[in-house]
Amino acid sequence: MKTLISVAVMVCGLLAGPAFAASAECEKSADDKKLSGAARTSHIKKCEADAGSSAACEKSADDKKLAGAARTSHIKKCVADGGGDASAMCDKSAADKNLAGAAKTSHVKKCMEDAAAAKK
């Protein structure tokens, strides 16, 4: 039982590590800009969200085995579209439906457009 609890604590620490790193960077950015109050809070929340979507988009590029200009382009488009959350969800939806090739591409494209429209 003690081993199980120890493992659970270690896993939580590993999963939370990137979030704390992003938070520290965002705090430093807010300090550098001399933000306080609501402006500081808003800046930190946006910074953390951007960091999360960037990481998700980089993972998406890794999953697709993209490199060079194609990777950079994919990450920029992914972040602009609202991050990897929608991308991951759409890819999972296509996989659940056993789609491949043009059908998968079409499904993911429509899913991403729907997700972007829902955010507005």
Side-chain angles (χ1 to χ4, degrees), residues 22 26 43-56 79 82-85:
C26 295
H43 172 78
I44 291 171
K45 284 184 180 179
K46 182 177 183 328
C47 177
E48 288 173 345
D50 289 347
S53 65
S54 178
V79 170
D85 295 338

Side-chain angles (χ1 to χ4, degrees), residues 20-35 40 43-44 47-48:
F20 290 129
S23 183
E25 282 183 30
C26 295
E27 291 276 345
K28 183 178 178 337
S29 172
D31 289 343
D32 291 346
K33 294 181 180 190
K34 297 181 170 84
L35 298 175
R40 180 183 180 85
H43 172 78
I44 291 171
C47 177
E48 288 173 345

